[in-house]
C-alpha cells in the first residue's frame, strides 16, 4: 500500500472513531464500506479482531510512570475510571503492567453506566474511600472526565490532548496541563 494512502487511512480511522469514543459496531460497519479492502471482511470479523488485538496496541502516555510515582510519593490513592468494556480496558491495563499501580480500576462495562453519569464517579469515590472534595480527577475529555467528575465535587485537571476545552460547559478545570510531568509541580504548589 502506498505510504500516503496508509497515512490518509490512519487519519480517517482516528477521526471517524472520535478518538475511541464511537460505538465500535457502527464504526466497523462504516469501515467495511469505506476502506479500499483487497477482500472485504465481515463486520463480525473486524469486531473479533478488535476484541483480540486492540488492547495489545496500547501504549503508556509520555511521563505516565513518573506521574504515577509522584502521586504515590504524595500518599494518594489512585484509581482508573474508564468508559469501555471490562475485557478491553483491563486487557490494556494488564498489557501495560499497571494493575499494581492503582488501588481501584472501574470500567463503565462493569458498572453498567458510562461517564459522564454522576453515579459512576460516586462508585469510584466509594471504592477509593474518598469524597469528591478530597479527590482530583485527571483526564483528557472535557465532558466525560472534567465536567462529569465536577458533578461529584471532584477537582479536575484537564490534560490537553485530542480535545479542546468546551467553554459551553459553564465551568473551567481546576488546572490544565499539556503533559503528565506537570502534575508533580501542582502537588508541590498545593502542599
Amino acid at each position: 500500500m502506498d505510504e500516503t494512502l496508509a497515512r490518509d487511512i490512519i487519519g480517517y480511522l482516528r477521526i471517524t472513531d472520535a478518538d475511541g469514543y464511537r460505538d465500535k459496531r457502527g464504526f466497523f460497519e462504516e469501515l467495511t464500506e469505506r476502506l479500499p479492502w483487497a477482500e472485504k471482511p465481515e463486520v463480525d470479523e473486524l469486531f473479533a479482531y478488535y476484541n483480540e488485538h486492540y488492547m495489545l496496541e496500547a501504549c503508556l502516555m509520555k511521563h505516565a510512570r513518573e506521574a504515577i510515582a509522584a502521586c504515590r510519593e504524595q500518599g494518594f490513592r489512585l484509581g482508573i475510571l474508564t468508559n469501555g468494556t471490562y475485557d478491553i480496558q483491563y486487557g490494556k491495563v494488564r498489557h501495560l503492567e499497571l494493575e499494581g499501580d492503582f488501588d481501584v480500576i472501574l470500567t463503565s462495562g462493569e458498572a453498567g453506566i458510562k461517564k459522564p453519569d454522576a453515579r459512576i464517579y460516586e462508585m469510584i469515590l466509594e471504592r477509593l474511600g474518598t469524597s469528591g472534595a478530597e479527590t482530583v480527577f485527571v483526564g483528557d475529555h472535557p465532558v466525560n472526565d472534567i465536567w462529569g467528575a465536577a458533578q461529584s465535587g471532584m477537582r479536575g485537571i484537564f490534560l490537553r490532548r485530542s480535545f479542546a476545552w468546551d467553554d459551553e460547559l459553564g465551568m473551567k478545570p481546576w488546572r490544565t496541563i499539556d503533559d503528565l510531568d506537570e502534575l508533580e509541580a501542582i502537588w508541590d504548589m498545593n502542599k
Side-chain angles (χ1 to χ4, degrees):
M1 176 181 295
D2 171 90
E3 188 175 318
T4 302
L5 177 60
R7 222 181 356 262
D8 289 347
I9 289 172
I10 290 169
Y12 165 78
L13 292 173
R14 186 165 182 264
I15 290 167
T16 57
D17 190 32
D19 206 32
Y21 281 93
R22 183 150 176 218
D23 168 70
K24 295 302 176 243
R25 188 155 295 277
F27 177 56
F28 296 145
E29 286 172 4
E30 182 178 329
L31 293 183
T32 61
E33 298 302 320
R34 298 283 309 266
L35 294 182
W37 301 100
E39 190 174 320
K40 183 176 163 182
E42 295 294 321
V43 172
D44 288 340
E45 288 177 82
L46 286 178
F47 203 69
Y49 184 88
Y50 170 83
N51 285 333
E52 184 178 341
H53 297 281
Y54 171 72
M55 71 283 277
L56 302 177
E57 298 302 319
C59 299
L60 277 177
M61 282 188 221
K62 186 173 156 190
H63 305 296
R65 293 259 180 237
E66 297 88 347
I68 292 166
C71 291
R72 283 288 180 208
E73 286 172 18
Q74 296 292 323
F76 298 153
R77 292 183 50 76
L78 299 178
I80 294 176
L81 177 60
T82 181
N83 282 343
T85 66
Y86 178 92
D87 291 340
I88 294 291
Q89 300 302 61
Y90 274 85
K92 289 192 287 187
V93 167
R94 282 189 293 276
H95 172 69
L96 297 171
E97 300 177 350
L98 293 173
E99 299 122 309
D101 293 325
F102 291 88
D103 301 295
V104 177
I105 300 170
L106 178 62
T107 70
S108 62
E110 66 189 294
I113 46 180
K114 290 183 169 187
K115 298 183 296 180
D117 187 314
R119 295 174 296 167
I120 198 165
Y121 301 96
E122 296 299 329
M123 289 172 80
I124 192 102
L125 289 171
E126 183 179 321
R127 292 180 186 191
L128 283 168
T130 62
S131 69
E134 59 189 352
T135 303
V136 174
F137 196 100
V138 179
D140 65 355
H141 195 281
V143 175
N144 290 348
D145 293 328
I146 308 306
W147 181 86
Q151 304 315 298
S152 295
M154 295 184 223
R155 290 171 290 165
I157 298 178
F158 178 54
L159 175 60
R160 278 189 285 237
R161 290 178 9 129
S162 300
F163 300 98
W165 184 257
D166 183 354
D167 289 324
E168 300 291 316
L169 292 174
M171 62 157 304
K172 294 283 184 198
W174 178 57
R175 299 281 190 272
T176 299
I177 61 175
D178 294 305
D179 233 328
L180 291 173
D181 64 348
E182 297 172 56
L183 289 174
E184 191 167 5
I186 293 172
W187 309 147
D188 289 344
M189 280 183 349
N190 292 285
K191 281 186 178 180

